[in-house]
Amino acid sequence: MKISFGDHAVEVRPWGGAGSGKALLMTSDPIMKGKILVQMKEFPEAFETLADEYDVEDMAGVMMVVCDARKVGLFFDLEFMRPGLCVCEEYEEAEEA
């Protein structure tokens, strides 16, 4: 699924098969790359890189990151008219009744 807002875009795909709880985020948007890098530093447990290190200045192409789909969310910041990225610090699995 491609999520776009104005000139900004992120492609999201399932990762690791059904029930893995992971998603692949892909973007060439420098603003989204920066947002992803900030969240990766703050919440490294929510992300897996497909490369050793990411540096926005070095990446001219697409950035690809695997994330915990239960913890990471995308949203639209209507004030600044661009998409955002957030991480839920605590994810509680639903108890089976």
Side-chain angles (χ1 to χ4, degrees):
M1 145 185 10
K2 184 173 184 177
I3 300 169
S4 61
F5 194 65
D7 296 335
H8 309 286
V10 177
E11 180 127 0
V12 182
R13 295 185 183 169
W15 185 263
S20 72
K22 296 182 180 184
L24 176 65
L25 302 178
M26 297 180 292
T27 186
S28 57
D29 180 347
I31 289 177
M32 285 307 299
K33 288 178 187 180
K35 290 178 182 294
I36 291 169
L37 288 173
V38 167
Q39 294 298 336
M40 286 175 66
K41 285 185 180 186
E42 182 126 2
F43 304 100
E45 70 282 355
F47 297 90
E48 298 173 31
T49 59
L50 299 177
D52 291 335
E53 279 188 38
Y54 283 121
D55 187 1
V56 174
E57 288 83 20
D58 295 338
M59 293 186 308
V62 175
M63 175 185 199
M64 295 186 288
V65 175
V66 176
C67 67
D68 184 334
R70 296 167 292 212
K71 291 183 178 181
V72 177
L74 296 170
F75 64 93
F76 297 108
D77 183 337
L78 298 176
E79 180 180 1
F80 297 106
M81 301 302 278
R82 61 183 174 217
L85 182 83
C86 63
V87 176
C88 176
E89 290 187 60
E90 296 183 26
Y91 169 76
E92 295 181 18
E93 296 210 22
E95 294 181 23
E96 294 184 30

